[in-house]
Amino acid sequence: MSTAFDIPAGTAVGKSTPKLENREKVTGRAEYIDDLYRPGMLHAAILGSPYPHARILSYDVSEALAAPGVVGVITGDDVPDGRMGAFIKDEHALAKGKVLYLGEPVAAIAAETLEQARAAVNLIIVDYEELPAVLSPEEGLAPDAPILHEKLKDYIKVFDAGSEGNLCSRTELTEGNVDAAWDRCAVIVEDEFETEPQAHVSLEPCGALAEVDAQGRVTLWSANQSVFRVQANVCESLQIPMSKLRSLTPRVGAGFGNKMEPHIQPITVALAMKTGRPVKCILTREEDFEIVRARHPFKIRMKTGADAQGRLIARDCEVLLDCGAFADDSPGVLGYALLMSGGPYRIPNQRARGKLVYTNKLRFGAYRGFGNPQVSFAGEQQIDEIAQKLGLDPIEIRRRNMLHEGDGWFVGPKIASNGLARCIDAVEAASGWRKGLQPPATPGTRRGKGIAVSAHISGLLGTGAIVRMLEDGTIALNTGATDIGQGSDTVLAQICAEALKLPVEMVSVASPDTDGSPYNWGTTASRVTYTTGRAVAGAAREVLRQAMEHASEMLDTPVEDLELREGGRIAVKGSNEDLPFAAISGRAHWAKGGPIVGHHTLVFDEPTHDPKRSIALGLPFPQIGVFSFGALIVDVEVDEVTGQTRVVEAWSAVDVGRAINPRLVEVQIEGGFVQGMGFALYEAMVWDGPRLVNPSLMDYKIPTSADTPHVHSIIVEDPEPNGPFGAKGAGEIGLNPVPAAIANALSAAIGGRARKVPMTPERVLNQLLEGGDAA
Amino acid sequence: MSFVVSPTSVDEAIAFLVDNPEARPMSGGASLVAMKNARLIEASHFVSLARIDSLRGIRRNADGSVTIGGMVPHRDTAACDLLDGDLRMIRQAAGQIANRVVRNMGTIGGAVANADPAADYLPVLVCADAQVEITGPGGKRLLPIRDYLVDWYETALEPAEIVTGIALPPAGSGPSVYRKLARTPGDFATVSVACARDGDGVRVAVGACGPAPLRAPEAERALAGQLDDPAAVAAFCEALVALADPVDDVRGSAEYRLTLIPRMVAAAIRDVTGGL
Amino acid sequence: MAGKEVFALRINGREREVFARSDATLLEVLRDDLALRAAKRGCNQGVCGACTVLLDGVPVRGCLTLAGACTGREVTTLEGLAEDPITRALQETMIVSGGVQCGFCTSGMLVTARDLVAQTVTPTEGDIRKALSGNLCRCTGYVRIVEAVTDAVVALSQANTDTREAIQ
């Protein structure tokens, strides 16, 4: 299959190069947002709302302003009426007029020390008129429900959201004729499923540092997944021209969607503008739980039918999503979840509908998987149930129905590369999967294996790269993509090095800077390797073109008689005569044509929706991306006394097109598995009425090294035709199938069916006692 | 004066606490500083007990009883060979508290003073009929742990008193076991069970199902000699369930805890009877 | 500033004078007053382990240790272990294994792992997983961190053998 670069990997691609910044991390010298200090810097503290829904009547900040060390206070009166948001612009920098969830920032203080800021924050007096609260999507849709956003109709929206009342958005996708298809089904399964909210728990809490210069221009450092989304959000909410704000990034202590859209940046900038001093604001772990964002709770009703041979005929999926107080990335999550609700199968008749409803809770938003793990939990269990009813092996039914290269995905996107079959083969072989043959359980436990498969896109929205050849022939790469620890700086350097046949050490990677980097929507949607990688390859190609022109003059040889050789040399074909980049670039800085600078920008531009085959209403992504595929088998053990489930071993194979850096792909698979395992087994944010009761790592538990299994990560490579060296994304797909695979394994171990995530010991014990031995 | 003082004797520490009623004694700090960081407690001073040598060490007394010094970290208790037989469950419990690093910090005195109902030490100490050695302005007193634990997070500690040690009866031949269900390793228990073989019977204490570990001495006596009778074990478990006063929290519902008590207790009895 | 006082701490082998509240945490003093920022604040509750440092050679949580209780004791941070052979071996294997992702947990992870390797001759995978269970990592799924520790143990024992052979 032809790829963007038909060069066999040699120099850089396909090698597990250690990440470029690892040494600074193992010596403790990497600087994260909380490690940055500026002269005269103030520290900030935030006052949260005590009510889930209330009108703000007045503020009295006099006592707080008089407190020791306090330099400035801001309230909703200090911020303009600008609203920000990725899909629907519904959010102020700071609560203004109303508060919409308990804990929502209503005021903030900058003081000489953090202690002083925290001590003074409680001296701010806010007078509220409490309003009735909406605490569930069902309540929000009730005819007499209190309305959160009275001006929802007037908000700017980037797609046809259908917003009304507390309905933030709705999406409906249809292909074939679902209602007419059930009659042709030999087997139909139907059920309801629920998933609970998961917290991202990046080890680094969110934070920001802002400074205003003498010209009134703002410099902002923050923990982020996109310096450009930070810039856009701050400027929209504070009504600052984008040219007046420079957004930068230190090292980022991971982001799983939580740092994609704004957290504390607008408030920090507002404080810096108010005080004229640098201000740093770092959230406590508790605040990070309470005011950033989380994975959506889903309510799913799903119905799937197949013929007697197990060929899928129809699926109907209906979801109800809690949006929280602000739209954030939620409309995207709804649309994407519905798009993925059929799974990687040929299903001729499919319908997926969903509603997203505002509630008086923390905003829900992007989280690794973006709605896919939730719908997969339902969908992949139903595939197993159909197999069970027909006496088919779970792997066999998946093979019979899976999509192939050249097929269209639900509503239209074309699938170019598809390594799903090889992923299934790989996990089947590695795990020793055999129908009906389960490994022996230790006494007092029951044991079972389960499988789930998944697909995920990589793509979306704008990206770019600038590649400059320096005078000595080394390369400066600048993409604007924030490396959040997954290693994109390294991967992009490898792509650049490969394209120019240079050792990777010859390529430097610029830290994202809105002043100097080309636009990059963000480190999200499993997209950087694929989309930014394409931009890097394109920019490198342009560099090569320019270098060839200079070399042509220098060697007095037409360009078509020149070739690029290993080590960054341009040579006369069939001859030993060549020039190193250093000579070419050195001359270019003085000669006609000028210094060698290549750039390339793109958006993923193939349409999501094919109107000839389907109907789509409220689809938030007109162009979406290319598809990665994965298969996962888990071996679980259930304690018969308590119902506690332990994953003994896991085998996860992912088709990433081409692994630019195999080790970094493996770590994505392994890390994604473990994060998915926490979601599947015990992670859940719990609200008591409007109050989040477990906003701490004491009360909210994430997986440790001692309760996680060895994860066997397997890379499958089915090159994507237009991917850089065939690569496509790897960031999310490893997480998607985890709850479903564990649920299927549980069913094999104890019978019954899991309908809720997390599958806590309590729920599993009930399943064991009730469902009991059905299998 | 400094906010942290580090006396070198118990008397000095108590004198300071008497003079400064808003001061708090601090052992390893593992729970206390976490609470301070969360702004759940305030104190005029923190009186570190870390430099009081008399609070260190685990020793066997002439009568065979064992005393664990109040400042003995969980790491040392978890590795102590003196805790064998029917005291072995104490090692098991100590080894399951939090994690390797926090076990270097946290101490038995601090844990008993804090008296978190879901903490690991309480059920094993109640099961072992431990006594709490308390020292205060009035001198030293020994209190059976069941009398020491008064209510949710409430103990018999008076102002300016500190837990200076834990006294354990001479080790019996056992065996004993500590069974814990927790969401992840190192979490507080959802439910925990301590069980020690005692002649032809057992002693059993259940943690995290009420303000203090559940213990049913009469039912234990009734069960003696009938450990292999499922009906007798079931009746015994029911007696413990009847004592339970669990809450709904993030670790599990009250109902689940009530379901777990008989299941975990029966399993623990099987552990110490070798499946009679 | 209210309640601040001057006191001395012995940190990474040097006597350092600090001006801070004695009930500030060791983590605060290290980061804010001494600019030793390898130890991170991930939770301030002692759960995540990113602030793990050595006190008299024993790993503790910087966030659960009051600075005023550390006078006269030896505090060692990751910066102070730069020449420690076990730490260096772990750093090298972490660099190549993939055990470093965002890096926020890495400093604390290394301090705990170093203690395990120093105390245990040949830790098994189970030993390593148990020992590191108080150092949370949200990125890697732990597989490559465990591998890095295993590889470091092998490298160290190889180095020991080489040294012994050289001496003989």
Side-chain angles (χ1 to χ4, degrees):
Chain A
M1 189 166 285
S2 95
T3 61
F5 271 89
D6 271 330
I7 314 164
T11 316
V13 159
K15 293 198 170 144
S16 292
T17 306
K19 288 195 299 143
L20 306 175
E21 80 288 6
N22 275 0
R23 189 161 300 278
E24 72 173 44
K25 286 178 173 173
V26 300
T27 52
R29 286 170 62 181
E31 291 192 319
Y32 303 83
I33 187 65
D34 196 20
D35 299 322
L36 302 188
Y37 289 73
R38 298 291 297 163
M41 185 178 85
L42 303 173
H43 299 264
I46 295 159
L47 178 68
S49 164
Y51 302 111
H53 196 189
R55 215 168 288 290
I56 299 170
L57 302 178
S58 66
Y59 307 93
D60 179 355
V61 301
S62 53
E63 207 183 328
L65 264 177
V70 171
V71 178
V73 179
I74 57 163
T75 68
D77 289 347
D78 296 286
V79 297
D81 192 17
R83 290 183 188 266
M84 57 187 168
F87 291 88
I88 297 174
K89 302 195 186 303
D90 61 0
E91 189 169 350
H92 286 124
L94 184 64
K96 194 172 170 68
K98 270 174 85 170
V99 289
L100 294 179
Y101 69 94
L102 196 149
E104 183 182 357
V106 287
I109 282 189
E112 298 289 348
T113 72
L114 185 56
E115 281 273 296
Q116 290 170 331
R118 295 221 171 117
V121 87
N122 293 317
L123 302 175
I124 299 171
I125 297 162
V126 184
D127 196 12
Y128 298 94
E129 177 198 340
E130 206 182 338
L131 300 169
V134 171
L135 297 176
S136 71
E138 291 87 349
E139 281 175 45
L141 291 176
D144 54 347
I147 299 297
L148 275 76
H149 293 272
E150 288 98 345
K151 293 182 185 163
L152 177 58
K153 286 263 180 220
D154 304 335
Y155 293 165
I156 297 167
K157 304 172 188 79
V158 303
F159 76 114
D160 164 30
S163 314
E164 192 170 16
N166 288 322
L167 182 71
C168 177
S169 75
R170 56 83 189 94
T171 300
E172 295 180 23
L173 311 174
T174 311
E175 197 171 291
N177 186 340
V178 171
D179 292 325
W182 304 118
D183 285 347
R184 299 200 299 278
C185 295
V187 186
I188 295 173
V189 293
E190 181 172 11
D191 225 306
E192 288 175 9
F193 301 84
E194 262 184 71
T195 66
E196 290 186 47
Q198 183 183 21
H200 299 77
V201 196
S202 302
L203 256 277
E204 174 201 41
C206 291
L209 191 162
E211 182 171 76
V212 185
D213 71 13
Q215 315 291 331
R217 191 159 189 267
V218 180
T219 303
L220 169 62
W221 296 261
S222 68
N224 70 83
Q225 295 177 224
S226 166
V227 292
F228 297 93
R229 287 301 304 153
V230 169
Q231 181 188 41
N233 282 309
V234 174
C235 292
E236 281 172 9
S237 62
L238 296 179
Q239 313 254 284
I240 306 168
M242 287 173 84
S243 59
K244 296 285 184 197
L245 184 136
R246 179 185 186 194
S247 170
L248 298 164
T249 185
R251 295 289 177 212
V252 180
F256 306 104
N258 50 327
K259 294 170 180 169
M260 180 60 196
E261 292 295 326
H263 41 81
I264 207 67
Q265 297 100 337
I267 292 173
T268 310
V269 170
L271 277 170
M273 292 172 75
K274 178 94 176 183
T275 58
R277 305 245 313 251
V279 175
K280 181 159 84 174
C281 183
I282 307 294
L283 296 184
T284 64
R285 176 57 63 188
E286 290 70 26
E287 288 168 338
D288 197 73
F289 272 104
E290 286 165 347
I291 68 172
V292 181
R293 54 182 56 78
R295 189 192 293 284
H296 295 83
F298 268 54
K299 288 180 179 147
I300 304 165
R301 196 194 54 74
M302 194 179 273
K303 183 176 178 183
T304 308
D307 68 14
Q309 284 72 47
R311 276 188 298 264
L312 297 171
I313 291 178
R315 173 168 285 178
D316 192 8
C317 174
E318 206 173 338
V319 301
L320 183 61
L321 267 66
D322 190 336
C323 178
F326 301 104
D328 202 50
D329 274 326
S330 293
V333 172
L334 171 64
Y336 185 67
L338 294 175
L339 188 67
M340 304 311 280
S341 64
Y345 301 112
R346 290 173 167 165
I347 310 178
N349 304 285
Q350 247 190 100
R351 181 166 59 201
R353 295 169 288 185
K355 288 178 176 166
L356 172 71
V357 186
Y358 283 119
T359 65
N360 293 111
K361 279 189 190 160
L362 163 71
R363 64 171 95 68
F364 296 99
Y367 190 147
R368 195 181 199 174
F370 216 68
N372 201 342
Q374 292 98 322
V375 292
S376 295
F377 173 66
E380 281 295 280
Q381 284 203 82
Q382 292 205 327
I383 300 297
D384 261 34
E385 285 185 81
I386 290 171
Q388 198 176 2
K389 284 182 196 289
L390 293 172
L392 284 170
D393 181 84
I395 287 184
E396 179 52 31
I397 191 171
R398 287 174 170 85
R399 286 205 175 104
R400 277 184 201 179
N401 288 286
M402 66 191 171
L403 286 163
H404 292 273
E405 233 161 67
D407 282 349
W409 189 270
F410 182 33
V411 310
K414 279 279 168 289
I415 294 162
S417 68
N418 182 346
L420 179 58
R422 287 165 58 199
C423 290
I424 293 175
D425 294 346
V427 292
E428 181 185 34
S431 69
W433 173 278
R434 292 287 182 280
K435 187 192 170 194
L437 183 70
Q438 298 296 349
T442 46
T445 67
R446 307 229 196 137
R447 196 157 169 185
K449 276 187 189 153
I451 185 170
V453 300
S454 177
H456 207 86
I457 58 96
S458 38
L460 287 166
L461 304 188
T463 195
I466 300 169
V467 175
R468 291 186 297 132
M469 192 179 282
L470 307 179
E471 279 135 293
D472 64 354
T474 60
I475 300 294
L477 170 64
N478 189 353
T479 69
T482 301
D483 188 331
I484 52 178
Q486 88 284 27
S488 58
D489 282 357
T490 307
V491 164
L492 296 174
Q494 285 177 271
I495 290 170
C496 186
E498 184 72 48
L500 296 172
K501 292 199 176 182
L502 281 172
V504 73
E505 300 75 44
M506 306 287 269
V507 180
S508 72
V509 182
S511 183
D513 176 347
T514 54
D515 272 6
S517 300
Y519 181 79
N520 192 304
W521 176 49
T523 304
T524 186
S526 303
R527 70 189 288 275
V528 176
T529 297
Y530 173 71
T531 61
T532 311
R534 280 177 64 182
V536 170
R541 209 162 25 226
E542 172 60 17
V543 160
L544 200 54
R545 191 191 63 72
Q546 293 173 23
M548 288 278 191
E549 278 181 13
H550 284 289
S552 166
E553 286 181 21
M554 293 166 79
L555 295 164
D556 199 17
T557 306
V559 165
E560 53 274 21
D561 293 338
L562 298 176
E563 65 183 7
L564 174 67
R565 283 193 189 154
E566 214 55 58
R569 306 179 79 85
I570 291 177
V572 177
K573 283 179 188 166
S575 145
N576 287 335
E577 201 184 351
D578 69 4
L579 288 168
F581 282 170
I584 298 166
S585 187
R587 176 183 180 270
H589 282 72
W590 296 85
K592 183 178 151 236
I596 298 172
V597 179
H599 70 90
H600 189 72
T601 61
L602 62 109
V603 291
F604 184 84
D605 57 1
E606 289 170 36
T608 312
H609 177 217
D610 175 359
K612 288 200 283 291
R613 64 180 279 179
S614 61
I615 302 164
L617 179 69
L619 188 65
F621 301 112
Q623 298 99 22
I624 191 144
V626 298
F627 290 78
S628 298
F629 295 88
L632 169 69
I633 288 176
V634 296
D635 177 4
V636 308
E637 194 170 75
V638 179
D639 184 316
E640 288 179 325
V641 173
T642 61
Q644 188 160 45
T645 303
R646 182 175 75 92
V647 180
V648 182
E649 219 168 338
W651 299 266
S652 182
V654 173
D655 163 29
V656 295
R658 177 70 169 278
I660 304 294
N661 185 317
R663 179 50 54 89
L664 294 180
V665 171
E666 287 163 353
V667 177
Q668 284 303 306
I669 296 172
E670 293 151 10
F673 175 84
V674 168
Q675 216 170 76
M677 190 198 85
F679 175 51
L681 294 181
Y682 42 75
E683 290 187 40
M685 298 169 81
V686 178
W687 275 264
D688 179 11
R691 185 177 298 275
L692 179 65
V693 299
N694 57 343
S696 77
L697 290 179
M698 290 278 209
D699 291 325
Y700 183 97
K701 287 292 165 189
I702 66 168
T704 76
S705 54
D707 67 328
T708 47
H710 188 80
V711 183
H712 304 269
S713 45
I714 302 164
I715 295 171
V716 169
E717 295 182 311
D718 189 12
E720 180 65 28
N722 64 12
F725 300 100
K728 48 192 181 183
E732 295 165 276
I733 182 136
L735 190 152
N736 291 333
V738 180
I742 290 178
N744 284 337
L746 269 179
S747 191
I750 64 170
R753 276 283 150 200
R755 303 297 178 203
K756 286 184 180 169
V757 162
M759 293 166 265
T760 59
E762 183 163 6
R763 287 173 180 155
V764 172
L765 185 63
N766 286 337
Q767 185 180 333
L768 191 152
L769 295 176
E770 291 163 13
D773 298 314
Chain B
M1 181 187 287
S2 181
F3 296 108
V4 178
V5 295
S6 301
T8 54
S9 74
V10 171
D11 288 349
E12 201 189 325
I14 287 165
F16 189 92
L17 290 166
V18 168
D19 292 344
N20 298 276
E22 301 302 314
R24 274 178 175 266
M26 177 173 75
S27 51
S31 298
L32 194 72
V33 179
M35 288 191 271
K36 174 185 187 288
N37 290 347
R39 300 175 164 257
L40 296 174
I41 57 152
E42 281 186 19
S44 65
H45 303 82
F46 293 91
V47 183
S48 169
L49 309 178
R51 287 167 211 215
I52 305 177
D53 288 338
S54 66
L55 300 180
R56 296 170 194 276
I58 304 176
R59 61 176 189 276
R60 185 170 7 220
N61 305 307
D63 61 355
S65 67
V66 174
T67 303
I68 306 177
M71 283 299 287
V72 171
H74 309 325
R75 174 198 58 205
D76 292 354
T77 306
C80 178
D81 291 336
L82 295 177
L83 303 173
D84 206 1
D86 70 350
L87 298 180
R88 198 175 171 81
M89 61 188 172
I90 298 174
R91 291 181 59 174
Q92 291 178 3
Q96 290 185 48
I97 299 171
N99 55 69
R100 181 185 177 93
V101 176
V102 170
R103 287 195 292 273
N104 291 332
M105 305 181 70
T107 66
I108 196 165
V112 169
N114 190 38
D116 190 309
D120 294 294
Y121 268 134
L122 299 186
V124 289
L125 295 179
V126 167
C127 184
D129 289 319
Q131 293 193 295
V132 183
E133 183 192 290
I134 298 166
T135 309
K140 193 180 278 191
R141 60 188 176 122
L142 270 177
L143 206 58
I145 188 156
R146 295 186 61 206
D147 298 336
Y148 164 85
L149 298 168
V150 175
D151 207 336
W152 296 99
Y153 295 95
E154 193 185 328
T155 70
L157 277 180
E158 297 290 335
E161 282 189 327
I162 57 179
V163 175
T164 46
I166 299 297
L168 301 166
S173 57
S176 64
V177 70
Y178 178 64
R179 270 191 174 245
K180 173 183 182 180
L181 172 70
R183 293 173 298 174
T184 57
D187 189 15
F188 282 93
T190 308
V191 173
S192 60
V193 173
C195 180
R197 186 75 189 268
D198 191 347
D200 62 354
V202 287
R203 298 187 309 270
V204 174
V206 178
C209 289
L214 316 176
R215 182 86 193 268
E218 273 183 38
E220 285 173 10
R221 281 191 287 277
L223 182 62
Q226 302 182 67
L227 294 176
D228 54 350
D229 176 359
V233 170
F236 173 71
C237 291
E238 279 318 301
L240 287 165
V241 170
L243 295 172
D245 179 21
V247 293
D248 290 319
D249 66 19
V250 291
R251 296 185 185 90
S253 71
E255 193 187 338
Y256 178 54
R257 289 184 160 97
L258 293 174
T259 309
L260 281 181
I261 292 171
R263 301 177 71 84
M264 288 179 67
V265 169
I269 292 173
R270 283 196 298 274
D271 291 340
V272 300
T273 54
L276 271 179
Chain C
M1 236 35 75
K4 286 197 177 185
E5 60 187 293
V6 176
F7 55 101
L9 291 174
R10 197 168 167 74
I11 298 185
N12 295 335
R14 283 175 56 205
E15 202 72 26
R16 301 287 298 266
E17 200 167 80
V18 299
F19 178 56
R21 283 176 62 106
S22 60
D23 66 350
T25 64
L26 180 59
L27 180 66
E28 288 168 325
V29 169
L30 288 172
R31 290 181 52 84
D32 300 340
D33 298 273
L34 299 171
L36 291 165
R37 298 185 183 124
K40 305 295 179 199
R41 182 182 60 78
C43 73
N44 227 24
Q45 294 282 298
V47 184
C48 78
C51 65
T52 306
V53 296
L54 302 178
L55 188 58
D56 291 338
V58 176
V60 297
R61 298 292 201 230
C63 76
L64 297 182
T65 304
L66 297 189
C70 297
T71 54
R73 304 180 71 179
E74 184 74 44
V75 176
T76 311
T77 69
L78 182 67
E79 290 97 333
L81 292 167
E83 301 302 322
D84 171 68
I86 298 177
T87 307
R88 291 178 72 124
L90 285 163
Q91 285 169 329
E92 295 309 316
T93 55
M94 280 286 273
I95 284 173
V96 298
S97 74
V100 180
Q101 285 273 295
C102 84
F104 204 77
C105 73
T106 306
S107 301
M109 196 69 82
L110 283 166
V111 173
T112 305
R114 181 206 165 274
D115 181 62
L116 170 75
V117 175
Q119 310 277 329
T120 318
V121 187
T122 35
T124 63
E125 177 176 344
D127 293 337
I128 297 167
R129 286 186 171 275
K130 243 183 176 165
L132 298 180
S133 72
N135 288 78
L136 300 177
C137 167
R138 191 60 154 169
C139 298
T140 64
Y142 304 104
V143 176
R144 305 297 164 177
I145 295 175
V146 173
E147 187 179 299
V149 177
T150 309
D151 290 351
V153 170
V154 172
L156 283 163
S157 84
Q158 187 58 45
N160 281 339
T161 311
D162 294 348
T163 312
R164 267 199 303 278
E165 279 168 4
I167 292 167
Q168 287 160 358

